[in-house]
Amino acid sequence: MITCSAPGKLFVVGEYAVVEPGRLAILVAVDRRVSVTVSPGELAGRVAVRSDLYSGTVEFVRVDARLVPCVDDSGPAPRLNHVVSAIETVERLIVERGLPVRPLTLDITSELHEDGTKFGLGSSGAVTVATISAVGAFYGLDLTPEQRYRLAMLATARIAARASGGDLAASVWGGWIAYSAPDRTDILGMAERLGIDRAIHAEWPGFSIKRLQPPADLTFEVGWTGVPAATDTLVAGLAERNRNNDSFYRSFLWRSDECVRTCIAALRDGENREFLRQIRRFRDLLQTADGITRIGIFTPRMTTLCDTVEKVGGAAKPSGAGGGDCGIAFLDNTAHHQLETLRARWRAAGIRPLSIRVPAVEKEARDDDRQPQG
């Protein structure tokens, strides 16, 4: 029996732009996790999955390297697509290495949901990374952090071609990171031509990961608007509506990169005032994009969440695609009265303050990482 877990994530700056290869974003890994336990299965050729998000067990049979539901031939339930793709990707690697696949039972528990409702903390990415880690360890694979990320990215790209993989990187490396994505079409083609094993060792243009120093003397707060967001729909909507407004989209990408790079420099230099200025700047950039595309990044509650933070001297913005889910705020960590005022005003507006922190990365984990430079 093997158990592995992976944390959820929040975007700090760079969302939407990061779906384009090589475009930067800053993310953090949070202190809520998804855990996956893998144990030997009972029937040859079968994989059983149990999750705290539903009752009962979903069983799959292996057919031509794919996992097919034993009873329902319409395909796996949506919340299992990422799990299934992760298992299939690891087992393709196992077969390439000449090892036999085995019957498996997976048990999944999540701290990223409550009563079946998601908070927008990257549950799909976290469950993908935890599944890759646990199934890989069960088969005796000694995967580096980068190999776990690459397997998770291949598994995700198979079912969500626009997914940036930023959530995967945050779940693998933890802490504060700067990330840019590879071209998902290229890496999928590479995996088909060369195989999984060669693909995860090949050069991935556009991909970079770098640890960042967290801001000192700032409090990080998270508020949930009470409405789950359709991230894939929002991301696809921005790209689709900008095909006929290419000049705006190019400007959006350039301004996003400039903002992210300035944030990285501010974190490096300990310039909190500049960091807060860039958080406000990226909020403005998202509001401009929302005004042009009308895709609904800013709901009334999200606008209230951000405005309330500004009134007590902090900076705030949506985290991720917006349209609901979470907003993030940064305030001076000595501003205790302002923080209590903020939380009270959020609650009065129907916004739930979440007790979420960004755990420090252990030195051993930092030493184990090989970080590509980007």
Side-chain angles (χ1 to χ4, degrees), residues 318-330:
S319 176
D325 282 344
C326 292
I328 58 170
F330 294 92

Side-chain angles (χ1 to χ4, degrees), residues 94-106:
I94 290 297
V95 171
E96 286 179 15
R97 294 184 177 182
L99 301 172
V101 295
R102 299 159 60 184
L104 306 175
T105 297
L106 278 73

Side-chain angles (χ1 to χ4, degrees), residues 176-193:
W176 284 69
I177 62 169
Y179 168 82
S180 64
D183 186 304
R184 277 73 80 200
T185 300
D186 282 354
I187 64 172
L188 286 174
M190 190 184 302
E192 290 304 311
R193 294 191 313 272

Side-chain angles (χ1 to χ4, degrees), residues 97-326:
R97 294 184 177 182
L99 301 172
V101 295
R102 299 159 60 184
L104 306 175
T105 297
L106 278 73
D107 289 279
I108 302 169
T109 59
S110 174
E111 300 172 343
L112 306 183
H113 298 75
E114 189 172 285
D115 298 327
T117 299
K118 75 181 187 76
F119 291 128
L121 299 174
S123 56
S124 296
V127 76
T128 301
V129 170
T131 300
I132 293 286
S133 301
V135 174
F138 182 83
Y139 279 114
L141 301 180
D142 185 18
L143 298 172
T144 66
E146 189 172 332
Q147 289 167 354
R148 285 187 285 122
Y149 158 79
R150 286 172 177 247
L151 287 168
M153 186 74 260
L154 289 170
T156 299
R158 293 173 62 202
I159 57 176
R162 292 291 293 173
S164 71
D167 53 353
L168 307 174
S171 291
V172 169
W173 277 279
W176 284 69
I177 62 169
Y179 168 82
S180 64
D183 186 304
R184 277 73 80 200
T185 300
D186 282 354
I187 64 172
L188 286 174
M190 190 184 302
E192 290 304 311
R193 294 191 313 272
L194 306 178
I196 298 291
D197 206 353
R198 290 180 63 187
I200 64 172
H201 291 92
E203 186 72 20
W204 281 15
F207 164 55
S208 69
I209 181 80
K210 183 178 181 180
R211 288 203 184 282
L212 301 177
Q213 183 70 24
D217 304 322
L218 289 180
T219 293
F220 178 59
E221 293 294 313
V222 182
W224 186 56
T225 63
V227 180
T231 299
D232 292 346
T233 301
L234 287 160
V235 171
L238 183 65
E240 176 65 27
R241 296 189 189 193
N242 279 294
R243 284 178 182 166
N244 296 324
N245 194 355
D246 188 53
S247 62
F248 165 75
Y249 193 52
R250 289 199 308 271
S251 173
F252 172 81
L253 295 176
W254 180 85
R255 293 172 65 192
S256 174
D257 261 1
E258 184 183 44
C259 183
V260 175
R261 292 184 189 281
T262 306
C263 275
I264 292 171
L267 290 170
R268 181 195 63 214
D269 298 336
E271 295 287 348
N272 286 347
R273 185 172 300 179
E274 180 62 33
F275 177 76
L276 294 177
R277 192 174 78 87
Q278 294 304 319
I279 295 296
R280 297 185 182 104
R281 182 183 176 195
F282 203 85
R283 176 194 174 183
D284 290 343
L285 180 59
L286 290 177
Q287 285 180 313
T288 299
D290 203 21
I292 291 173
T293 62
R294 306 289 183 186
I295 60 174
I297 297 173
F298 281 85
T299 63
R301 278 190 185 172
M302 183 62 73
T303 299
T304 298
L305 182 154
C306 296
D307 288 347
T308 304
V309 176
E310 291 291 339
K311 290 176 181 177
V312 297
K317 58 176 287 294
S319 176
D325 282 344
C326 292

